[in-house]
Amino acid sequence: MKKIEVRDLTVDYGEREERFTALDGVSFSVKSGEFVSVVGSSGCGKSTLLSVLEGITRPSGGTAVIDGAPIVGPGTDRGVVFQHYSLFPWMTARHNVTFGVKQARKDLSPKRRLEVADEFLNQVGLEGFKDKYPSQLSGGMQQRVAIARALAMDAEILLMDEPFGALDAKNRIKLQELLLRLWEGRERKKTVVFVTHDIDEAILLSDRVVMLTNSPGRVHGEILVPFPRPRGRAKLVRTPEYSKLRSELLSLLFNDLSRKIGGEEVVL
């Protein structure tokens, strides 16, 4: 069953001679409970695509729908995790999560909202930091708060815009594995659209990878990730199948780049 469907999506910015096309005729769909990564080089329109799905950016042409209904604005059916944490600095970790729960689950009592916030902060390993403010937390901890908030909202869809891009390599790996564990461990999986430029991250996390061309962004290819779940990085990266898939994705990415810079061959 299709949860998200994007058809011939075009997004233009500016007017007349200043006009810039970020996305040009993008089409793909995401099934309910599927984890899809959108991959491409910087400036290819990945974040623009996510902002359309979030309901912040209006298409210049084409359509983007959820459950068959056009996206007309933000909604509590979508949880969003950004690259730069987006926490309220005047709220503790606990109250940052509670704020998201309050917006999305208005039926819960104030006491129950706090309980839900505590539950998800525990899941991301922050049980001892609930009363800390963002300025008192490391970058990795702040991003764990943002992930806890998105999951605690219990939205059907998670939109994630390079959520680990600003982290050091160690914290990036830890949070990738945390996200994988939390997503795979749910009986009813969330539908995830995950924006990244990292091929290895996309393979580890995804059911399918949508590759965008350089600007303007178009769908260059869709690749199924065939590895069974649950997945472990250490075992997966040692398999020949992983190397083959990685080479295929890199070939798509760099062949497009070579055309963009004049057809020169790019050696991997």
Side-chain angles (χ1 to χ4, degrees):
M1 177 182 174
K2 292 179 182 177
K3 187 70 175 177
I4 300 170
E5 189 163 14
V6 175
R7 286 287 170 261
D8 298 318
L9 183 71
T10 298
V11 177
D12 298 319
Y13 294 111
E15 299 292 336
R16 297 180 183 177
E17 63 272 6
E18 301 285 328
R19 202 167 185 80
F20 167 75
T21 299
L23 296 171
D24 184 17
V26 170
S27 296
F28 71 97
S29 60
V30 184
K31 294 183 291 187
S32 181
E34 190 178 20
F35 197 124
V36 171
S37 286
V38 178
V39 176
S41 56
S42 296
C44 74
K46 303 185 299 295
S47 293
T48 296
L49 173 60
L50 214 66
S51 72
V52 171
L53 298 180
E54 187 186 352
I56 299 298
T57 297
R58 294 291 182 91
S60 305
T63 59
V65 302
I66 294 175
D67 291 329
I71 298 170
V72 295
T76 55
D77 59 335
R78 283 150 282 165
V80 185
V81 181
F82 299 98
Q83 181 174 351
H84 294 292
Y85 322 137
S86 64
L87 302 178
F88 296 116
W90 59 89
M91 291 185 182
T92 63
R94 190 187 206 194
H95 285 105
N96 263 286
V97 177
T98 304
F99 179 84
V101 176
K102 182 179 179 180
Q103 306 311 305
R105 304 172 68 179
K106 298 184 184 298
D107 57 314
L108 299 183
S109 68
K111 179 182 177 182
R112 181 57 186 148
R113 289 172 197 151
L114 288 171
E115 291 172 349
V116 169
D118 288 349
E119 174 188 339
F120 281 91
L121 285 168
N122 290 347
Q123 285 192 35
V124 300
L126 291 177
E127 56 271 18
F129 298 88
K130 297 171 186 176
D131 295 322
K132 300 293 185 183
Y133 291 90
S135 62
Q136 298 172 303
L137 302 174
S138 69
M141 288 178 173
Q142 289 184 57
Q143 197 62 305
R144 278 189 269 169
V145 175
I147 291 170
R149 180 174 61 190
L151 292 172
M153 290 172 63
D154 202 28
E156 296 180 16
I157 296 170
L158 278 179
L159 305 175
M160 309 187 80
D161 189 1
E162 299 199 50
F164 312 136
L167 301 177
D168 63 81
K170 181 178 178 181
N171 274 315
R172 186 181 185 114
I173 288 171
K174 288 172 67 175
L175 286 183
Q176 287 168 353
E177 292 175 346
L178 171 66
L179 175 62
L180 201 59
R181 186 169 68 251
L182 292 176
W183 183 80
E184 289 179 341
R186 298 181 71 91
E187 184 175 342
R188 184 165 176 260
K189 292 182 174 60
K190 305 296 183 185
T191 303
V192 182
V193 180
F194 187 98
V195 162
T196 182
H197 60 268
D198 186 317
I199 295 292
D200 295 292
E201 182 170 72
I203 295 173
L204 176 68
L205 297 175
S206 312
D207 296 313
R208 186 160 44 94
V209 176
V210 176
M211 181 73 70
L212 294 187
T213 65
N214 280 282
S215 179
R218 303 183 180 97
V219 175
H220 192 34
E222 294 188 39
I223 306 295
L224 182 70
V225 180
F227 307 119
R229 298 181 184 273
R231 293 176 189 162
R233 178 192 306 276
K235 183 178 180 180
L236 185 63
V237 298
R238 291 197 297 268
T239 64
E241 293 81 9
Y242 180 91
S243 297
K244 181 180 177 182
L245 179 59
R246 187 176 189 273
S247 294
E248 185 178 357
L249 287 167
L250 283 170
S251 179
L252 274 176
L253 182 65
F254 279 95
N255 284 347
D256 180 65
L257 177 61
S258 70
R259 287 197 297 272
K260 189 73 175 178
I261 61 178
E264 297 179 8
E265 183 179 359
V266 177
V267 180
L268 303 183

